[in-house]
Structures are given as C-alpha cells and as structure tokens.
Amino acid sequence: RMWGSLSHRWGCASKQVGGCHAAIGRRLRGRGHHRVRRRHGGTHGVLDLFGIAHGGEAIGRHASFIITEPERVGVEASWRSLLERRGAARYSNQNLTRDGRTIECEWYSTVVCDGDGAVSSVSSLVLDVTERASAERMFRASEERFQKAFRRAPFPQSIVRLVDGAIVDVNDCWERAFGISRHEAAGRTALDLGLWPDTSMREQVLRELDQAG
C-alpha cells in the first residue's frame, strides 16, 4: 500500500509518498473543477503512484485524467460537497495510472480556509488500496460460494461454535431433517434443542474433534 498527501491550493499541490516529496498543482475553478496548474519539488511521489514521468504530462490538464470515466461524476460531486461544507471527507474511487492501469484509492481531504474564511486549499491524503480491495472482493466471492454450497448441500449441516456449542447457522436440509427453523436454532445448543438424547455420545464426539483438530 502507498500513502500520499496532497495539498490542493489555488495553483499548487504537494504530494508526499514514501518519504519523497513531489507536487502537482491544481487550480480550482467554478463548480469544483480543477486543472493541473504547476508543479514543484521532487518527482518520486507522482512517479510511484500515478506513473507521471514529468510535469509536462500533467500541467494544464484537467485533473480528471487520473480518474476513471465511470467515477468522474461522483468525484466532482464529492469535491463540490467538500468545498461547500468546508469540512473534511473520506471517499474512495478508482484512479488511472499513466500506463492505463486502474488502481483503487482512498482519499482523506480537509478544506483549509484563510484568515477571511475563504477556501485557500484542500489538504488530502491518498492511499493506494488496490491490493486490499482485491483481497476483499476475493473474500466476498469466496463467502458467496461457501454459502451457496452450504445452503444447497443434500445433507444436514450446521455451523457450531466450539467454545460453547452454540449454533451459528444451519442449512436448508438441516431445517427439514429436524423440523427446526434457522431462526429458532441460532444461538442455542443441540442440548437446548434436545438433539442429543445421550449426552455421553456428544462428549465423545467433542473429544474426538478436539484430538483430531
């Protein structure tokens, strides 16, 4: 993951990434529009995050060139809202690198006002969360696959907390087999529900599970 900090001013913006300072300028115009105005400082931050080789690739361009097309309307709306409220905001969007890759970024922005109360800049912190977002999507997909397999299994299945034996979830076949709904079973134990007429058998099963891992 990569952190960067931007200070969007009326003509300049700074960026801190990995201890290296770089800057791109953004000029704010009506309705929250902003263009790259000028650039100062080192280059490593911009190179690392967006792959911009030199200032000439960015100066004078609308800052939306680093935002994916489907995200641009939402980003503009967030920007306008931030300036109107003159507060702080956290938002996420997809950004584009110079070589066309899409990266997921989280932005933490705070409006800075001058002595007269006018907006003078917006200070932002940006975090590249591409790997995290990808892992979260994979986890959700895995959960969905598990839930489908669990629900549709042709034999009774339950998920039970080992520490106290409380039922967390049961599948459809379990409900039909025991005549107890998922809602009724949740949070109760098999003993509560009378599913173990012989408690010694339950203890034996638990010992075997403990030994076998």
Side-chain angles (χ1 to χ4, degrees):
R1 299 191 297 178
M2 183 180 297
W3 285 96
S5 63
L6 268 68
S7 176
H8 308 280
R9 300 188 180 279
W10 303 97
C12 70
S14 65
K15 186 179 194 64
Q16 183 76 29
V17 178
C20 300
H21 183 80
I24 55 175
R26 298 174 105 179
R27 183 179 181 182
L28 308 183
R29 298 187 175 182
R31 298 184 179 179
H33 294 299
H34 40 289
R35 292 180 182 276
V36 176
R37 178 72 170 180
R38 64 186 174 87
R39 177 174 171 277
H40 61 84
T43 62
H44 296 290
V46 176
L47 284 172
D48 289 344
L49 194 57
F50 297 112
I52 299 173
H54 53 80
E57 295 182 2
I59 293 173
R61 298 179 65 184
H62 191 282
S64 61
F65 78 94
I66 61 170
I67 304 170
T68 60
E69 184 68 34
E71 300 269 10
R72 290 177 184 174
V73 173
V75 170
E76 288 291 343
S78 297
W79 185 259
R80 288 194 298 269
S81 175
L82 177 66
L83 293 177
E84 289 169 2
R85 290 185 293 105
R86 300 190 180 189
R90 171 184 175 180
Y91 52 93
S92 303
N93 62 265
Q94 293 184 329
N95 287 98
L96 290 171
T97 63
R98 181 175 179 272
D99 59 6
R101 291 181 299 107
T102 298
I103 59 175
E104 305 271 353
C105 292
E106 282 186 0
W107 295 82
Y108 305 81
S109 300
T110 304
V111 171
V112 179
C113 298
D114 61 21
D116 297 324
V119 175
S120 61
S121 65
V122 176
S123 178
S124 296
L125 189 68
V126 59
L127 173 64
D128 181 354
V129 295
T130 305
E131 291 184 4
R132 189 186 77 188
S134 177
E136 289 174 350
R137 284 193 295 269
M138 291 177 63
F139 176 77
R140 287 194 296 269
S142 177
E143 280 288 293
E144 290 174 3
R145 289 194 297 270
F146 170 78
Q147 284 295 329
K148 288 179 180 178
F150 176 71
R151 296 275 178 238
R152 298 174 183 176
F155 45 84
Q157 284 189 319
S158 63
I159 300 174
V160 178
R161 285 200 305 261
L162 187 59
V163 64
D164 59 5
I167 295 172
V168 176
D169 200 359
V170 300
N171 68 352
D172 298 342
C173 190
W174 190 99
E175 289 183 291
R176 291 192 297 270
F178 295 106
I180 302 171
S181 71
R182 182 176 296 109
H183 177 73
E184 293 173 310
R188 302 176 68 185
T189 68
L191 290 176
D192 295 335
L193 298 171
L195 301 181
W196 286 98
D198 185 352
T199 57
S200 63
M201 184 180 294
R202 175 179 180 274
E203 295 300 324
Q204 180 181 342
V205 170
L206 291 177
R207 282 195 300 271
E208 291 176 357
L209 285 174
D210 186 55
Q211 293 171 1

